Short mmCIF file of all heavy atoms in Angstrom, two decimals:
data_model
loop_
_atom_site.label_atom_id
_atom_site.label_comp_id
_atom_site.label_asym_id
_atom_site.label_seq_id
_atom_site.Cartn_x
_atom_site.Cartn_y
_atom_site.Cartn_z
N GLN A 1 169.35 5.09 126.45
CA GLN A 1 168.91 3.79 126.95
C GLN A 1 167.70 3.88 127.87
O GLN A 1 166.93 2.93 127.98
CB GLN A 1 170.06 3.11 127.71
CG GLN A 1 171.25 2.74 126.85
CD GLN A 1 170.95 1.61 125.89
OE1 GLN A 1 170.23 0.66 126.23
NE2 GLN A 1 171.48 1.70 124.68
N LEU A 2 167.53 5.01 128.54
CA LEU A 2 166.50 5.13 129.57
C LEU A 2 165.34 6.01 129.11
O LEU A 2 165.49 6.84 128.21
CB LEU A 2 167.11 5.72 130.85
CG LEU A 2 168.25 4.91 131.47
CD1 LEU A 2 168.89 5.68 132.63
CD2 LEU A 2 167.74 3.55 131.96
N ASP A 3 164.21 5.82 129.76
CA ASP A 3 163.03 6.61 129.43
C ASP A 3 163.11 8.03 129.99
O ASP A 3 162.48 8.94 129.47
CB ASP A 3 161.77 5.92 129.96
CG ASP A 3 161.51 4.59 129.29
OD1 ASP A 3 161.73 4.50 128.06
OD2 ASP A 3 161.10 3.64 129.97
N ASP A 4 163.87 8.20 131.08
CA ASP A 4 164.05 9.51 131.70
C ASP A 4 165.47 9.99 131.52
O ASP A 4 166.42 9.20 131.55
CB ASP A 4 163.71 9.45 133.19
CG ASP A 4 162.27 9.86 133.47
OD1 ASP A 4 161.83 10.86 132.88
OD2 ASP A 4 161.61 9.19 134.28
N GLN A 5 165.63 11.31 131.37
CA GLN A 5 166.96 11.89 131.24
C GLN A 5 167.72 11.75 132.56
O GLN A 5 167.15 11.89 133.64
CB GLN A 5 166.84 13.38 130.90
CG GLN A 5 166.11 13.68 129.61
CD GLN A 5 167.04 13.67 128.41
OE1 GLN A 5 168.22 13.39 128.55
NE2 GLN A 5 166.51 13.98 127.25
N PRO A 6 169.02 11.49 132.52
CA PRO A 6 169.82 11.47 133.75
C PRO A 6 170.10 12.88 134.25
O PRO A 6 170.03 13.85 133.49
CB PRO A 6 171.11 10.78 133.31
CG PRO A 6 171.24 11.13 131.86
CD PRO A 6 169.82 11.17 131.32
N ILE A 7 170.43 12.99 135.52
CA ILE A 7 170.92 14.22 136.10
C ILE A 7 172.44 14.21 136.00
O ILE A 7 173.08 13.20 136.28
CB ILE A 7 170.47 14.36 137.57
CG1 ILE A 7 168.94 14.58 137.63
CG2 ILE A 7 171.18 15.51 138.27
CD1 ILE A 7 168.39 14.59 139.05
N PHE A 8 173.02 15.33 135.60
CA PHE A 8 174.47 15.42 135.40
C PHE A 8 175.05 16.38 136.44
O PHE A 8 174.62 17.54 136.54
CB PHE A 8 174.76 15.94 133.99
CG PHE A 8 176.18 15.72 133.52
CD1 PHE A 8 177.02 14.82 134.14
CD2 PHE A 8 176.67 16.43 132.43
CE1 PHE A 8 178.33 14.61 133.69
CE2 PHE A 8 177.96 16.23 131.97
CZ PHE A 8 178.79 15.32 132.61
N LEU A 9 176.01 15.89 137.25
CA LEU A 9 176.65 16.69 138.27
C LEU A 9 178.11 16.93 137.87
O LEU A 9 178.87 15.97 137.70
CB LEU A 9 176.61 15.97 139.63
CG LEU A 9 175.25 15.45 140.11
CD1 LEU A 9 175.40 14.71 141.43
CD2 LEU A 9 174.26 16.61 140.26
N LEU A 10 178.50 18.19 137.72
CA LEU A 10 179.88 18.53 137.38
C LEU A 10 180.47 19.35 138.52
O LEU A 10 180.00 20.46 138.80
CB LEU A 10 179.95 19.34 136.08
CG LEU A 10 179.48 18.64 134.80
CD1 LEU A 10 178.00 18.91 134.55
CD2 LEU A 10 180.30 19.10 133.60
N ASP A 11 181.47 18.80 139.17
CA ASP A 11 182.05 19.44 140.34
C ASP A 11 183.45 19.95 140.05
O ASP A 11 184.40 19.16 139.93
CB ASP A 11 182.08 18.45 141.52
CG ASP A 11 182.59 19.09 142.80
OD1 ASP A 11 182.28 20.27 143.03
OD2 ASP A 11 183.29 18.40 143.56
N ASP A 12 183.57 21.26 139.91
CA ASP A 12 184.87 21.91 139.81
C ASP A 12 185.75 21.29 138.73
O ASP A 12 186.90 20.91 138.98
CB ASP A 12 185.59 21.83 141.18
CG ASP A 12 186.80 22.76 141.26
OD1 ASP A 12 186.83 23.75 140.52
OD2 ASP A 12 187.72 22.45 142.05
N VAL A 13 185.22 21.20 137.53
CA VAL A 13 185.96 20.54 136.45
C VAL A 13 186.52 21.52 135.41
O VAL A 13 187.34 21.12 134.58
CB VAL A 13 185.07 19.50 135.72
CG1 VAL A 13 184.63 18.43 136.69
CG2 VAL A 13 183.88 20.16 135.06
N PHE A 14 186.10 22.78 135.44
CA PHE A 14 186.49 23.69 134.36
C PHE A 14 187.88 24.28 134.55
O PHE A 14 188.46 24.81 133.61
CB PHE A 14 185.46 24.81 134.22
CG PHE A 14 184.16 24.33 133.64
CD1 PHE A 14 183.11 23.97 134.45
CD2 PHE A 14 184.01 24.19 132.27
CE1 PHE A 14 181.92 23.51 133.92
CE2 PHE A 14 182.83 23.73 131.72
CZ PHE A 14 181.77 23.38 132.55
N GLY A 15 188.44 24.17 135.75
CA GLY A 15 189.78 24.70 135.97
C GLY A 15 190.84 23.97 135.18
O GLY A 15 191.91 24.53 134.90
N ASP A 16 190.58 22.72 134.81
CA ASP A 16 191.55 21.93 134.06
C ASP A 16 191.36 22.01 132.55
O ASP A 16 192.10 21.36 131.80
CB ASP A 16 191.46 20.46 134.48
CG ASP A 16 191.98 20.24 135.89
OD1 ASP A 16 192.83 21.02 136.34
OD2 ASP A 16 191.50 19.29 136.54
N LEU A 17 190.36 22.76 132.10
CA LEU A 17 190.07 22.83 130.66
C LEU A 17 190.45 24.18 130.10
O LEU A 17 190.25 25.22 130.74
CB LEU A 17 188.58 22.58 130.41
CG LEU A 17 188.01 21.22 130.82
CD1 LEU A 17 186.51 21.18 130.56
CD2 LEU A 17 188.71 20.09 130.07
N ASP A 18 190.98 24.18 128.88
CA ASP A 18 191.27 25.45 128.24
C ASP A 18 189.97 26.08 127.75
O ASP A 18 188.89 25.49 127.82
CB ASP A 18 192.27 25.27 127.09
CG ASP A 18 191.78 24.30 126.02
OD1 ASP A 18 190.56 24.22 125.78
OD2 ASP A 18 192.61 23.59 125.42
N GLN A 19 190.06 27.31 127.24
CA GLN A 19 188.87 28.07 126.87
C GLN A 19 188.06 27.36 125.77
O GLN A 19 186.83 27.30 125.84
CB GLN A 19 189.26 29.47 126.39
CG GLN A 19 188.05 30.33 126.02
CD GLN A 19 188.45 31.74 125.60
OE1 GLN A 19 189.61 32.12 125.72
NE2 GLN A 19 187.49 32.51 125.11
N HIS A 20 188.76 26.81 124.79
CA HIS A 20 188.06 26.16 123.68
C HIS A 20 187.25 24.96 124.17
O HIS A 20 186.07 24.82 123.83
CB HIS A 20 189.05 25.73 122.60
CG HIS A 20 188.43 24.89 121.53
ND1 HIS A 20 187.53 25.39 120.60
CD2 HIS A 20 188.56 23.55 121.24
CE1 HIS A 20 187.14 24.42 119.79
NE2 HIS A 20 187.75 23.30 120.16
N ARG A 21 187.87 24.11 124.96
CA ARG A 21 187.16 22.91 125.42
C ARG A 21 186.09 23.26 126.44
O ARG A 21 185.07 22.57 126.54
CB ARG A 21 188.16 21.90 125.99
CG ARG A 21 189.06 21.33 124.90
CD ARG A 21 189.86 20.14 125.35
NE ARG A 21 190.59 19.57 124.24
CZ ARG A 21 191.86 19.83 123.96
NH1 ARG A 21 192.54 20.67 124.74
NH2 ARG A 21 192.46 19.28 122.92
N THR A 22 186.29 24.32 127.20
CA THR A 22 185.23 24.81 128.09
C THR A 22 184.01 25.19 127.29
O THR A 22 182.87 24.83 127.63
CB THR A 22 185.74 26.01 128.91
OG1 THR A 22 186.78 25.58 129.79
CG2 THR A 22 184.61 26.61 129.74
N GLU A 23 184.21 25.90 126.19
CA GLU A 23 183.08 26.32 125.34
C GLU A 23 182.42 25.12 124.68
O GLU A 23 181.18 25.06 124.58
CB GLU A 23 183.57 27.32 124.29
CG GLU A 23 183.98 28.66 124.88
CD GLU A 23 184.56 29.61 123.83
OE1 GLU A 23 184.67 29.18 122.66
OE2 GLU A 23 184.89 30.75 124.19
N VAL A 24 183.22 24.15 124.23
CA VAL A 24 182.66 22.95 123.61
C VAL A 24 181.77 22.20 124.61
O VAL A 24 180.64 21.78 124.29
CB VAL A 24 183.78 22.02 123.10
CG1 VAL A 24 183.21 20.67 122.67
CG2 VAL A 24 184.51 22.67 121.93
N LEU A 25 182.26 22.04 125.84
CA LEU A 25 181.50 21.33 126.86
C LEU A 25 180.23 22.08 127.24
O LEU A 25 179.14 21.48 127.31
CB LEU A 25 182.37 21.11 128.10
CG LEU A 25 181.69 20.45 129.31
CD1 LEU A 25 181.06 19.11 128.93
CD2 LEU A 25 182.67 20.27 130.45
N LEU A 26 180.33 23.39 127.45
CA LEU A 26 179.15 24.16 127.84
C LEU A 26 178.11 24.18 126.72
O LEU A 26 176.90 24.11 126.98
CB LEU A 26 179.56 25.58 128.21
CG LEU A 26 180.30 25.73 129.56
CD1 LEU A 26 180.75 27.18 129.76
CD2 LEU A 26 179.41 25.28 130.71
N ASN A 27 178.56 24.29 125.48
CA ASN A 27 177.60 24.26 124.36
C ASN A 27 176.89 22.92 124.28
O ASN A 27 175.68 22.86 123.99
CB ASN A 27 178.33 24.55 123.04
CG ASN A 27 178.64 26.03 122.86
OD1 ASN A 27 177.86 26.88 123.27
ND2 ASN A 27 179.78 26.34 122.27
N ALA A 28 177.61 21.84 124.56
CA ALA A 28 176.98 20.51 124.57
C ALA A 28 175.93 20.42 125.67
O ALA A 28 174.85 19.86 125.47
CB ALA A 28 178.05 19.43 124.75
N LEU A 29 176.24 20.99 126.83
CA LEU A 29 175.29 20.93 127.95
C LEU A 29 174.05 21.78 127.70
O LEU A 29 172.95 21.41 128.13
CB LEU A 29 175.99 21.39 129.24
CG LEU A 29 177.14 20.49 129.72
CD1 LEU A 29 177.78 21.07 130.96
CD2 LEU A 29 176.65 19.08 129.99
N THR A 30 174.21 22.90 127.01
CA THR A 30 173.04 23.73 126.70
C THR A 30 172.11 23.03 125.72
O THR A 30 170.89 23.23 125.75
CB THR A 30 173.46 25.09 126.13
OG1 THR A 30 174.21 24.89 124.93
CG2 THR A 30 174.27 25.87 127.14
N LYS A 31 172.67 22.16 124.86
CA LYS A 31 171.85 21.45 123.89
C LYS A 31 171.23 20.18 124.46
O LYS A 31 170.21 19.70 123.96
CB LYS A 31 172.71 21.09 122.66
CG LYS A 31 173.18 22.31 121.88
CD LYS A 31 174.12 21.90 120.75
CE LYS A 31 174.65 23.12 120.01
NZ LYS A 31 175.63 22.75 118.95
N HIS A 32 171.85 19.63 125.51
CA HIS A 32 171.30 18.43 126.14
C HIS A 32 170.09 18.81 126.97
O HIS A 32 170.12 19.79 127.72
CB HIS A 32 172.37 17.77 127.01
CG HIS A 32 171.96 16.42 127.52
ND1 HIS A 32 171.36 16.24 128.74
CD2 HIS A 32 172.04 15.19 126.97
CE1 HIS A 32 171.10 14.95 128.92
NE2 HIS A 32 171.50 14.30 127.86
N ASN A 33 169.02 18.04 126.87
CA ASN A 33 167.77 18.40 127.53
C ASN A 33 167.71 18.05 129.01
O ASN A 33 166.79 18.46 129.71
CB ASN A 33 166.59 17.74 126.81
CG ASN A 33 166.36 18.32 125.43
OD1 ASN A 33 166.57 19.51 125.23
ND2 ASN A 33 165.95 17.48 124.49
N GLY A 34 168.68 17.27 129.49
CA GLY A 34 168.65 16.86 130.88
C GLY A 34 169.03 17.98 131.83
O GLY A 34 169.53 19.04 131.43
N GLN A 35 168.83 17.74 133.12
CA GLN A 35 169.16 18.72 134.15
C GLN A 35 170.63 18.59 134.53
O GLN A 35 171.14 17.49 134.74
CB GLN A 35 168.28 18.52 135.37
CG GLN A 35 168.39 19.63 136.41
CD GLN A 35 167.48 19.38 137.61
OE1 GLN A 35 167.24 18.23 137.98
NE2 GLN A 35 166.97 20.44 138.21
N THR A 36 171.32 19.72 134.63
CA THR A 36 172.74 19.76 134.90
C THR A 36 173.03 20.67 136.08
O THR A 36 172.41 21.73 136.22
CB THR A 36 173.52 20.25 133.67
OG1 THR A 36 173.32 19.34 132.58
CG2 THR A 36 175.01 20.35 133.95
N PHE A 37 173.99 20.25 136.90
CA PHE A 37 174.46 21.06 138.03
C PHE A 37 175.97 21.24 137.89
O PHE A 37 176.70 20.27 137.74
CB PHE A 37 174.13 20.39 139.36
CG PHE A 37 172.66 20.30 139.64
CD1 PHE A 37 171.90 19.27 139.10
CD2 PHE A 37 172.03 21.25 140.43
CE1 PHE A 37 170.55 19.19 139.34
CE2 PHE A 37 170.67 21.18 140.68
CZ PHE A 37 169.92 20.14 140.13
N ILE A 38 176.41 22.50 137.96
CA ILE A 38 177.82 22.82 137.77
C ILE A 38 178.29 23.64 138.97
O ILE A 38 177.67 24.65 139.32
CB ILE A 38 178.05 23.64 136.49
CG1 ILE A 38 177.52 22.90 135.26
CG2 ILE A 38 179.52 23.98 136.31
CD1 ILE A 38 177.50 23.75 134.00
N THR A 39 179.39 23.23 139.61
CA THR A 39 180.01 24.05 140.64
C THR A 39 181.30 24.63 140.08
O THR A 39 182.04 23.97 139.34
CB THR A 39 180.34 23.25 141.91
OG1 THR A 39 181.39 22.32 141.65
CG2 THR A 39 179.11 22.50 142.41
N SER A 40 181.55 25.88 140.42
CA SER A 40 182.75 26.56 139.91
C SER A 40 183.07 27.76 140.80
O SER A 40 182.16 28.41 141.33
CB SER A 40 182.54 27.02 138.48
OG SER A 40 183.65 27.75 138.01
N ALA A 41 184.36 28.05 140.96
CA ALA A 41 184.77 29.23 141.70
C ALA A 41 184.78 30.48 140.83
O ALA A 41 184.87 31.59 141.34
CB ALA A 41 186.17 29.01 142.30
#
């Protein structure tokens, strides 16, 4: 919808995801051209 890519902030969300869905989400983020910030322990 917008002319500029949004910034995506992900805060401590991978602890609730299994390995498969973690990989699906990370692969999607690597393909998305926008800037992403991920926090994780």
Side-chain angles (χ1 to χ4, degrees):
Q1 294 291 321
L2 300 173
D3 295 321
D4 265 316
Q5 300 272 3
I7 291 175
F8 196 17
L9 309 177
L10 296 92
D11 184 37
D12 193 25
V13 299
F14 288 96
D16 290 333
L17 298 177
D18 59 32
Q19 181 178 352
H20 172 69
R21 292 192 175 97
T22 295
E23 291 176 357
V24 171
L25 176 55
L26 287 175
N27 283 325
L29 296 178
T30 59
K31 294 175 183 177
H32 189 266
N33 291 326
Q35 190 180 32
T36 298
F37 294 83
I38 303 170
T39 69
S40 176

